[in-house]
């Protein structure tokens, strides 16, 4: 049997089949499920991002002696950043704190969730930085001035840059 015979037989088979449509309630439920899976709610995605940030943030505090939580003793990265001044230290600390969370999120979350984050990425990372800064104040950080603003700016810029780089890396190597 040649390929053309096979194709013509297949077309003949299709012509003789009666069309069958699944029940409309099943079709609508299936389409609804697929739509919700491909478009997760922003609040749920932000909740996952917040959970990732909570775990990653606690781990990244091991590098910072600010709250007495450095597991490595000494001043950790603070000595290295402080050689350029308090301002650079605050920018770097914010960038590291939120940037690590952004990298982990870009690696762990589903492609659909990453697309939700990318739709309003700056807003979500600004909210994450603001919540982090608020938590630091609750933990006893009393510096609500230029240094807090620099930390917040570093967190947003570092988070955006880290997320985009990790996202692009995931696109290239994991093919989402």
């Amino acid at each position: 049997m040649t390929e053309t015979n096979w194709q013509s037989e297949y077309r003949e088979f299709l012509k003789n089949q009666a069309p069958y449509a699944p029940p409309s309630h099943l079709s609508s439920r299936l389409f609804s499920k697929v739509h919700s899976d491909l478009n997760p709610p922003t609040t749920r995605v932000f909740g996952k991002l917040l959970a990732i940030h909570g775990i990653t943030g606690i781990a990244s505090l091991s590098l910072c002696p600010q709250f007495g939580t450095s597991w490595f003793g000494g001043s950790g990265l603070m000595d290295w950043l402080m050689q350029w001044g308090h301002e650079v230290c605050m920018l770097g600390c914010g960038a590291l704190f939120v940037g690590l969370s952004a990298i982990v999120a870009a690696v762990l979350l589903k492609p659909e969730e990453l697309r939700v984050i990318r739709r309003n990425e700056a807003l979500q990372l600004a909210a994450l930085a603001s919540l982090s800064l608020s938590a630091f104040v609750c933990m006893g950080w009393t510096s609500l001035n230029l240094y807090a603003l620099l930390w917040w700016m570093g967190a947003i810029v570092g988070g955006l840059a880290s997320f985009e780089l990790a996202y692009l890396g995931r696109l290239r190597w994991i093919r989402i």
Side-chain angles (χ1 to χ4, degrees):
M1 178 182 305
T2 67
E3 186 172 323
T4 54
N5 287 342
W6 180 85
Q7 289 174 342
S8 64
E9 284 184 24
Y10 181 68
R11 274 191 231 105
E12 185 66 29
F13 169 76
L14 290 177
K15 274 192 235 177
N16 295 329
Q17 296 299 313
Y20 176 75
S24 63
H25 72 280
L26 289 179
S27 292
S28 64
R29 194 171 0 162
L30 176 66
F31 287 135
S32 174
K33 174 73 172 134
V34 169
H35 183 269
S36 68
D37 285 349
L38 291 176
N39 300 295
T42 304
T43 52
R44 186 177 68 191
V45 174
F46 184 72
K48 285 184 173 186
L49 181 62
L50 195 58
I52 289 170
H53 180 62
I55 294 167
T56 307
I58 289 169
S60 69
L61 283 178
S62 68
L63 304 172
C64 179
Q66 181 76 22
F67 298 106
T69 58
S70 180
W71 298 337
F72 303 111
S75 297
L77 288 178
M78 191 167 108
D79 281 340
W80 184 72
L81 290 172
M82 284 296 283
Q83 66 185 331
W84 291 290
H86 290 296
E87 294 80 9
V88 172
C89 187
M90 287 291 106
L91 285 167
C93 181
L96 178 71
F97 192 72
V98 175
L100 287 174
S101 297
I103 291 169
V104 171
V107 170
L108 293 181
L109 293 177
K110 296 176 186 174
E112 304 81 43
E113 295 166 334
L114 296 177
R115 281 192 290 279
V116 168
I117 290 174
R118 291 191 81 222
R119 273 196 299 246
N120 49 20
E121 184 176 359
L123 178 63
Q124 290 199 36
L125 290 171
L128 205 61
S130 299
L131 289 170
S132 299
L133 203 54
S134 299
F136 290 153
V137 169
C138 290
M139 291 171 42
W141 190 33
T142 57
S143 182
L144 286 176
N145 54 22
L146 174 65
Y147 294 129
L149 179 63
L150 287 170
W151 186 95
W152 187 76
M153 289 172 28
I156 294 170
V157 171
L160 287 169
S162 298
F163 184 81
E164 282 301 311
L165 288 173
Y167 179 79
L168 292 173
R170 184 171 171 177
L171 280 177
R172 182 180 174 122
W173 289 294
I174 300 178
R175 303 277 185 215
I176 58 172

